[in-house]
């Protein structure tokens, strides 16, 4: 019953920056993984970045060098720092969580409501 809530979306010009945050609540004693996904209407959802149980990060090729994901375990918050934004980054960004199984992240299936990011040329 982990609840996720994203914030920080908005409209920016190409080349600009934006920081997204996701706060998890309702978590008691368990371990879980978190990630950022994005999706455009009518298109498949794609993973942007994730943080595993050891704090290691993984990035999609299309955001490497521009986005930075970090997790604050004390605050149960996942942050996505986005820089050098491009029009193609325009999408609904969702935070997701996954349970841990045998020390590994399970499938991401718990989603926040999303926060819209719009980048204009």
């Amino acid at each position: 019953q982990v609840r996720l809530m994203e914030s920080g979306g908005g409209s920016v010009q190409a080349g600009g920056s934006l920081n997204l945050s996701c706060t998890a609540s309702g978590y008691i004693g368990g371990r879980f993984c978190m990630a950022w996904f994005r999706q455009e209407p009518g298109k498949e959802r794609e993973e942007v970045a994730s943080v595993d149980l050891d704090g290691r990060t993984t990035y999609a090729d299309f955001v490497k060098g521009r986005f930075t994901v970090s997790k604050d375990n004390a605050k149960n918050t996942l942050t996505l720092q986005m820089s050098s934004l491009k029009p193609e980054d325009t999408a609904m960004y969702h935070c997701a969580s996954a349970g841990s199984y045998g020390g590994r992240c399970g499938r991401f299936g718990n989603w926040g409501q999303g926060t819209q990011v719009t980048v204009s040329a």
Side-chain angles (χ1 to χ4, degrees):
Q1 295 185 344
V2 175
R3 292 180 291 279
L4 306 172
M5 182 169 66
E6 306 94 332
S7 63
S11 298
V12 298
Q13 296 289 320
S17 301
L18 203 61
N19 290 168
L20 307 183
S21 63
C22 170
T23 299
S25 62
Y27 176 63
I28 303 177
R31 300 177 71 209
F32 61 96
C33 303
M34 298 181 74
W36 285 101
F37 288 76
R38 69 186 189 185
Q39 185 174 30
E40 295 181 52
K43 301 181 67 176
E44 294 185 349
R45 184 166 49 223
E46 58 185 359
E47 186 174 320
V48 176
S50 65
V51 181
D52 69 11
L53 298 170
D54 296 314
R56 299 184 187 282
T57 59
T58 299
Y59 296 93
D61 289 339
F62 54 81
V63 302
K64 286 183 178 178
R66 300 188 299 120
F67 292 9
T68 299
V69 65
S70 61
K71 184 180 181 184
D72 186 330
N73 292 315
K75 298 180 180 179
N76 290 321
T77 300
L78 187 72
T79 299
L80 185 66
Q81 296 175 262
M82 305 184 293
S83 299
S84 300
L85 285 163
K86 305 174 180 179
E88 51 263 47
D89 292 320
T90 295
M92 181 70 75
Y93 284 71
H94 294 266
C95 178
S97 66
S100 61
Y101 303 93
R104 290 175 171 270
C105 299
R107 182 177 181 179
F108 288 99
N110 187 43
W111 309 91
Q113 85 286 351
T115 185
Q116 179 68 36
V117 171
T118 301
V119 184
S120 59

